[in-house]
Amino acid sequence: MSNWGCLYLILRANFDGMESETIPEPPPQKGDGNVEYRPGKRVFGVSYDKDKGRITVQYVDVVTGEKNSVGAAMVIAADGVHSSVRKVLQVPTRNDYAGYIGWRGTVLEHLLCQETIEYFSNRLNFTLLKGIYFIRSELSKCPPYTASKLTRRLGSYFIPNETGHMEQGQRRLNWVWYLVVPDGSPEMAAIFTDINGRLHPNTVPQGLIDPKLWIDQVARCESQMIAFLAEVVIKSLYPFVTKVGDAQAWQASFFDNRLVLIGGAFTAFRSHRGMASEQAARNCWQLDRFWRGEITQQQRDHEATMYAEQFVLINRLIGLGGLGHVIAVAKVLWALVPLSLRHTLGYVRVGQTDS
């Protein structure tokens, strides 16, 4: 497991040579041309000149509001699950709310007692109760849960700090707490309304969670947690919350294969296996194979779609299984059978690549 801040610094060092405490001496960028990283931009328009083989991307600075554009012969759209590029292109996309949300947070290791540190060290932990889904092990130590209306799950594991240090005392303990909340319910509205009264559609960032709501949330379930887990959750100062779901586009390539959706912009999984970065890397590897002439673009799209469809279902299995939804698990397993047959026979839904 890693820390996104640490991963970001590693990627920046390899992309445009940015120095940081994590990578104080970035590797030389030989033969890669000139690169420029422009943060804080949102795409609002994409057009294609077929005769010139050029794509124009229009974007706006989210802070200043200044608009600009850039032209390219190849565009890789890797702007995540809420992809602006995908929306601009009006790509047919299935978006499903999973039926549960994920509270998330981290706590600095030096704030925890030694017994808690030892308990969570060198393991990925799951807590699975009828009322709770945290991630820790040794389930026999979990007390019974008597309520039946709520289903929750929580996970925890050590990660590096923002600069990549994994020395004892420097790490963070990361946790995820899955909680069933009906979409459109008063509870959902309350959770996703921040301290300024703004209702967020998908995520309430760190520092904007209503403190009273968070205190009530912890108090509601604290008695069901073992002492180690309760300490971790209580000492996490800046939790945030996200709706869990998946999004899947049915077309990956556009404009004579000159624009390709990558990673979460193409398909976003539920957050149970941590496969988002792996999928993006695999998509790039598939593109490299296409550029080298090893496969066609249609074959690349086939592989990307096959991989995405499989892991959408696998992540659903993990989440629904952890929450004890037996019937839903059976339905997902049933869907995997024809999917596996279709992939074995070479049939997969791939959009036209010449539009």
Side-chain angles (χ1 to χ4, degrees):
M1 298 298 179
S2 189
N3 180 310
W4 169 242
C6 173
L7 180 60
Y8 166 80
L9 294 175
I10 294 173
L11 293 173
R12 283 295 303 275
N14 285 275
F15 178 71
D16 63 345
M18 187 182 79
E19 298 179 359
S20 66
E21 183 180 343
T22 303
I23 309 292
E25 297 181 5
Q29 306 294 315
K30 294 182 178 180
D32 291 334
N34 297 319
V35 297
E36 183 181 353
Y37 186 85
R38 303 178 186 178
K41 315 299 182 186
R42 178 175 57 81
V43 173
F44 68 86
V46 179
S47 59
Y48 177 51
D49 187 326
K50 189 177 182 68
D51 293 334
K52 295 181 179 179
R54 298 283 293 180
I55 297 175
T56 299
V57 178
Q58 297 173 289
Y59 60 88
V60 58
D61 189 296
V62 297
V63 176
T64 67
E66 180 182 356
K67 296 180 179 180
N68 210 328
S69 65
V70 62
M74 181 74 193
V75 173
I76 298 175
D79 51 343
V81 58
H82 306 299
S83 171
S84 297
V85 175
R86 189 181 65 221
K87 292 176 182 176
V88 168
L89 295 175
Q90 298 181 334
V91 182
T93 304
R94 177 190 53 74
N95 289 281
D96 290 334
Y97 169 55
Y100 51 95
I101 64 174
W103 285 98
R104 300 168 179 269
T106 62
V107 59
L108 294 169
E109 182 178 5
H110 72 263
L111 297 178
L112 301 172
C113 70
Q114 187 59 37
E115 291 79 6
T116 298
I117 294 173
E118 292 176 358
Y119 180 81
F120 285 108
S121 293
N122 301 316
R123 66 176 70 178
L124 177 62
N125 303 274
F126 289 83
T127 294
L128 300 170
L129 298 176
K130 190 172 183 179
I132 287 181
Y133 170 1
F134 278 82
I135 302 177
R136 66 172 211 92
S137 58
E138 299 182 11
L139 300 180
S140 60
K141 291 187 177 182
C142 297
Y145 187 76
T146 57
S148 59
K149 293 184 179 180
L150 297 175
T151 305
R152 310 179 193 101
R153 160 181 168 178
L154 195 149
S156 49
Y157 41 86
F158 277 110
I159 60 173
N161 64 14
E162 292 290 330
T163 55
H165 290 289
M166 278 297 290
E167 297 84 357
Q168 288 192 0
Q170 298 291 320
R171 301 175 296 179
R172 293 174 181 266
L173 187 61
N174 184 69
W175 55 266
V176 186
W177 180 356
Y178 296 108
L179 169 70
V180 171
V181 179
D183 195 19
S185 65
E187 183 182 10
M188 178 75 83
I191 291 173
F192 284 86
T193 300
D194 67 21
I195 55 176
N196 300 314
R198 177 190 173 190
L199 179 62
H200 293 258
N202 296 291
T203 299
V204 182
Q206 289 180 318
L208 294 180
I209 296 290
D210 183 340
K212 183 180 184 305
L213 184 144
W214 175 239
I215 291 173
D216 291 345
Q217 177 67 46
V218 174
R220 184 181 178 188
C221 305
E222 183 180 355
S223 63
Q224 309 306 317
M225 305 177 195
I226 60 171
F228 306 126
L229 193 55
E231 181 188 7
V232 169
V233 173
I234 291 171
K235 290 184 177 180
S236 297
L237 300 180
Y238 301 105
F240 65 102
V241 64
T242 301
K243 292 181 183 179
V244 178
D246 38 52
Q248 187 172 8
W250 299 122
Q251 184 173 345
S253 302
F254 306 83
F255 304 142
D256 299 328
N257 302 326
R258 293 183 180 276
L259 187 150
V260 181
L261 298 178
I262 291 294
F266 177 55
T267 298
F269 310 134
R270 300 184 186 186
S271 51
H272 300 300
R273 291 203 63 193
M275 301 295 291
S277 297
E278 198 278 345
Q279 180 195 212
R282 177 180 287 267
N283 290 164
C284 292
W285 170 69
Q286 292 163 340
L287 268 180
D288 183 63
R289 292 181 63 205
F290 164 61
W291 290 333
R292 292 174 183 272
E294 299 174 4
I295 57 175
T296 66
Q297 182 68 29
Q298 187 174 13
Q299 289 173 322
R300 192 222 74 88
D301 288 355
H302 176 101
E303 291 183 9
T305 304
M306 179 177 67
Y307 179 88
E309 288 191 352
Q310 288 177 329
F311 278 92
V312 162
L313 293 177
I314 290 172
N315 277 277
R316 286 184 183 180
L317 277 178
I318 296 172
L320 295 170
L323 294 169
H325 295 182
V326 179
I327 296 178
V329 167
K331 290 181 178 178
V332 175
L333 284 171
W334 183 256
L336 272 173
V337 175
L339 175 64
S340 299
L341 287 174
R342 192 170 78 241
H343 288 164
T344 299
L345 296 173
Y347 297 109
V348 67
R349 282 174 289 187
V350 178
Q352 298 296 321
T353 60
D354 57 354
S355 60

PDB file of all heavy atoms in Angstrom, residues 166-179:
ATOM      1  N   MET A 166       8.943   5.250   5.505  1.00  0.00           N
ATOM      2  CA  MET A 166       8.269   4.105   6.105  1.00  0.00           C
ATOM      3  C   MET A 166       8.906   3.692   7.418  1.00  0.00           C
ATOM      4  O   MET A 166       8.618   2.623   7.954  1.00  0.00           O
ATOM      5  CB  MET A 166       8.296   2.920   5.132  1.00  0.00           C
ATOM      6  CG  MET A 166       7.213   2.964   4.068  1.00  0.00           C
ATOM      7  SD  MET A 166       5.538   2.868   4.749  1.00  0.00           S
ATOM      8  CE  MET A 166       5.499   1.162   5.329  1.00  0.00           C
ATOM      9  N   GLU A 167       9.790   4.544   7.974  1.00  0.00           N
ATOM     10  CA  GLU A 167      10.403   4.228   9.248  1.00  0.00           C
ATOM     11  C   GLU A 167       9.344   4.253  10.351  1.00  0.00           C
ATOM     12  O   GLU A 167       8.371   5.003  10.307  1.00  0.00           O
ATOM     13  CB  GLU A 167      11.519   5.216   9.593  1.00  0.00           C
ATOM     14  CG  GLU A 167      12.690   5.198   8.627  1.00  0.00           C
ATOM     15  CD  GLU A 167      12.465   6.069   7.398  1.00  0.00           C
ATOM     16  OE1 GLU A 167      11.345   6.636   7.293  1.00  0.00           O
ATOM     17  OE2 GLU A 167      13.357   6.157   6.548  1.00  0.00           O
ATOM     18  N   GLN A 168       9.524   3.416  11.351  1.00  0.00           N
ATOM     19  CA  GLN A 168       8.583   3.403  12.469  1.00  0.00           C
ATOM     20  C   GLN A 168       8.528   4.776  13.112  1.00  0.00           C
ATOM     21  O   GLN A 168       9.550   5.412  13.351  1.00  0.00           O
ATOM     22  CB  GLN A 168       8.990   2.351  13.496  1.00  0.00           C
ATOM     23  CG  GLN A 168       8.746   0.931  13.015  1.00  0.00           C
ATOM     24  CD  GLN A 168       8.871  -0.082  14.143  1.00  0.00           C
ATOM     25  OE1 GLN A 168       9.148   0.270  15.289  1.00  0.00           O
ATOM     26  NE2 GLN A 168       8.649  -1.347  13.827  1.00  0.00           N
ATOM     27  N   GLY A 169       7.316   5.230  13.375  1.00  0.00           N
ATOM     28  CA  GLY A 169       7.105   6.554  13.924  1.00  0.00           C
ATOM     29  C   GLY A 169       6.814   7.595  12.864  1.00  0.00           C
ATOM     30  O   GLY A 169       6.237   8.645  13.153  1.00  0.00           O
ATOM     31  N   GLN A 170       7.204   7.312  11.594  1.00  0.00           N
ATOM     32  CA  GLN A 170       6.996   8.242  10.493  1.00  0.00           C
ATOM     33  C   GLN A 170       5.792   7.866   9.622  1.00  0.00           C
ATOM     34  O   GLN A 170       5.326   8.670   8.828  1.00  0.00           O
ATOM     35  CB  GLN A 170       8.244   8.301   9.610  1.00  0.00           C
ATOM     36  CG  GLN A 170       9.495   8.791  10.323  1.00  0.00           C
ATOM     37  CD  GLN A 170       9.402  10.265  10.670  1.00  0.00           C
ATOM     38  OE1 GLN A 170       8.902  11.075   9.887  1.00  0.00           O
ATOM     39  NE2 GLN A 170       9.866  10.623  11.855  1.00  0.00           N
ATOM     40  N   ARG A 171       5.327   6.632   9.791  1.00  0.00           N
ATOM     41  CA  ARG A 171       4.247   6.147   8.924  1.00  0.00           C
ATOM     42  C   ARG A 171       2.884   6.713   9.352  1.00  0.00           C
ATOM     43  O   ARG A 171       2.740   7.346  10.377  1.00  0.00           O
ATOM     44  CB  ARG A 171       4.197   4.621   8.976  1.00  0.00           C
ATOM     45  CG  ARG A 171       5.467   3.938   8.544  1.00  0.00           C
ATOM     46  CD  ARG A 171       5.384   2.431   8.748  1.00  0.00           C
ATOM     47  NE  ARG A 171       5.260   2.082  10.164  1.00  0.00           N
ATOM     48  CZ  ARG A 171       5.151   0.838  10.632  1.00  0.00           C
ATOM     49  NH1 ARG A 171       5.144  -0.175   9.775  1.00  0.00           N
ATOM     50  NH2 ARG A 171       5.054   0.607  11.920  1.00  0.00           N
ATOM     51  N   ARG A 172       1.896   6.437   8.491  1.00  0.00           N
ATOM     52  CA  ARG A 172       0.498   6.740   8.814  1.00  0.00           C
ATOM     53  C   ARG A 172      -0.288   5.438   8.756  1.00  0.00           C
ATOM     54  O   ARG A 172       0.013   4.562   7.948  1.00  0.00           O
ATOM     55  CB  ARG A 172      -0.107   7.738   7.816  1.00  0.00           C
ATOM     56  CG  ARG A 172       0.503   9.136   7.869  1.00  0.00           C
ATOM     57  CD  ARG A 172      -0.068   9.994   6.754  1.00  0.00           C
ATOM     58  NE  ARG A 172       0.504  11.337   6.749  1.00  0.00           N
ATOM     59  CZ  ARG A 172      -0.031  12.395   7.349  1.00  0.00           C
ATOM     60  NH1 ARG A 172      -1.196  12.255   7.996  1.00  0.00           N
ATOM     61  NH2 ARG A 172       0.545  13.575   7.302  1.00  0.00           N
ATOM     62  N   LEU A 173      -1.285   5.345   9.610  1.00  0.00           N
ATOM     63  CA  LEU A 173      -2.188   4.206   9.542  1.00  0.00           C
ATOM     64  C   LEU A 173      -3.437   4.662   8.787  1.00  0.00           C
ATOM     65  O   LEU A 173      -4.121   5.599   9.201  1.00  0.00           O
ATOM     66  CB  LEU A 173      -2.569   3.708  10.937  1.00  0.00           C
ATOM     67  CG  LEU A 173      -3.385   2.407  10.957  1.00  0.00           C
ATOM     68  CD1 LEU A 173      -2.590   1.272  10.339  1.00  0.00           C
ATOM     69  CD2 LEU A 173      -3.801   2.037  12.367  1.00  0.00           C
ATOM     70  N   ASN A 174      -3.680   4.023   7.675  1.00  0.00           N
ATOM     71  CA  ASN A 174      -4.797   4.388   6.801  1.00  0.00           C
ATOM     72  C   ASN A 174      -5.976   3.451   7.067  1.00  0.00           C
ATOM     73  O   ASN A 174      -5.793   2.253   7.252  1.00  0.00           O
ATOM     74  CB  ASN A 174      -4.351   4.271   5.344  1.00  0.00           C
ATOM     75  CG  ASN A 174      -5.413   4.729   4.379  1.00  0.00           C
ATOM     76  OD1 ASN A 174      -5.723   5.907   4.304  1.00  0.00           O
ATOM     77  ND2 ASN A 174      -5.972   3.790   3.621  1.00  0.00           N
ATOM     78  N   TRP A 175      -7.187   3.980   7.078  1.00  0.00           N
ATOM     79  CA  TRP A 175      -8.360   3.140   7.277  1.00  0.00           C
ATOM     80  C   TRP A 175      -9.492   3.559   6.344  1.00  0.00           C
ATOM     81  O   TRP A 175      -9.575   4.691   5.900  1.00  0.00           O
ATOM     82  CB  TRP A 175      -8.836   3.181   8.732  1.00  0.00           C
ATOM     83  CG  TRP A 175      -9.112   4.553   9.274  1.00  0.00           C
ATOM     84  CD1 TRP A 175      -8.242   5.356   9.978  1.00  0.00           C
ATOM     85  CD2 TRP A 175     -10.327   5.307   9.146  1.00  0.00           C
ATOM     86  NE1 TRP A 175      -8.840   6.543  10.281  1.00  0.00           N
ATOM     87  CE2 TRP A 175     -10.128   6.545   9.797  1.00  0.00           C
ATOM     88  CE3 TRP A 175     -11.559   5.054   8.556  1.00  0.00           C
ATOM     89  CZ2 TRP A 175     -11.109   7.525   9.856  1.00  0.00           C
ATOM     90  CZ3 TRP A 175     -12.554   6.030   8.615  1.00  0.00           C
ATOM     91  CH2 TRP A 175     -12.318   7.246   9.270  1.00  0.00           C
ATOM     92  N   VAL A 176     -10.356   2.598   6.043  1.00  0.00           N
ATOM     93  CA  VAL A 176     -11.544   2.830   5.226  1.00  0.00           C
ATOM     94  C   VAL A 176     -12.725   2.173   5.933  1.00  0.00           C
ATOM     95  O   VAL A 176     -12.628   1.020   6.361  1.00  0.00           O
ATOM     96  CB  VAL A 176     -11.409   2.253   3.804  1.00  0.00           C
ATOM     97  CG1 VAL A 176     -12.604   2.656   2.952  1.00  0.00           C
ATOM     98  CG2 VAL A 176     -10.110   2.689   3.155  1.00  0.00           C
ATOM     99  N   TRP A 177     -13.822   2.873   6.032  1.00  0.00           N
ATOM    100  CA  TRP A 177     -14.998   2.409   6.763  1.00  0.00           C
ATOM    101  C   TRP A 177     -16.195   2.470   5.828  1.00  0.00           C
ATOM    102  O   TRP A 177     -16.648   3.536   5.443  1.00  0.00           O
ATOM    103  CB  TRP A 177     -15.193   3.319   7.965  1.00  0.00           C
ATOM    104  CG  TRP A 177     -16.348   3.017   8.859  1.00  0.00           C
ATOM    105  CD1 TRP A 177     -17.313   2.078   8.719  1.00  0.00           C
ATOM    106  CD2 TRP A 177     -16.651   3.709  10.078  1.00  0.00           C
ATOM    107  NE1 TRP A 177     -18.197   2.130   9.753  1.00  0.00           N
ATOM    108  CE2 TRP A 177     -17.812   3.120  10.600  1.00  0.00           C
ATOM    109  CE3 TRP A 177     -16.042   4.766  10.754  1.00  0.00           C
ATOM    110  CZ2 TRP A 177     -18.386   3.569  11.789  1.00  0.00           C
ATOM    111  CZ3 TRP A 177     -16.618   5.203  11.934  1.00  0.00           C
ATOM    112  CH2 TRP A 177     -17.766   4.600  12.457  1.00  0.00           C
ATOM    113  N   TYR A 178     -16.706   1.304   5.431  1.00  0.00           N
ATOM    114  CA  TYR A 178     -17.828   1.234   4.499  1.00  0.00           C
ATOM    115  C   TYR A 178     -19.144   1.157   5.263  1.00  0.00           C
ATOM    116  O   TYR A 178     -19.307   0.323   6.172  1.00  0.00           O
ATOM    117  CB  TYR A 178     -17.687   0.022   3.575  1.00  0.00           C
ATOM    118  CG  TYR A 178     -16.474   0.117   2.678  1.00  0.00           C
ATOM    119  CD1 TYR A 178     -15.365  -0.698   2.886  1.00  0.00           C
ATOM    120  CD2 TYR A 178     -16.438   1.034   1.631  1.00  0.00           C
ATOM    121  CE1 TYR A 178     -14.255  -0.612   2.067  1.00  0.00           C
ATOM    122  CE2 TYR A 178     -15.327   1.129   0.806  1.00  0.00           C
ATOM    123  CZ  TYR A 178     -14.249   0.304   1.035  1.00  0.00           C
ATOM    124  OH  TYR A 178     -13.139   0.403   0.224  1.00  0.00           O
ATOM    125  N   LEU A 179     -20.085   1.995   4.862  1.00  0.00           N
ATOM    126  CA  LEU A 179     -21.348   2.120   5.576  1.00  0.00           C
ATOM    127  C   LEU A 179     -22.489   2.223   4.576  1.00  0.00           C
ATOM    128  O   LEU A 179     -22.454   3.050   3.653  1.00  0.00           O
ATOM    129  CB  LEU A 179     -21.316   3.367   6.469  1.00  0.00           C
ATOM    130  CG  LEU A 179     -22.614   3.826   7.102  1.00  0.00           C
ATOM    131  CD1 LEU A 179     -23.043   2.828   8.166  1.00  0.00           C
ATOM    132  CD2 LEU A 179     -22.452   5.205   7.728  1.00  0.00           C
TER     133      LEU A 179
END
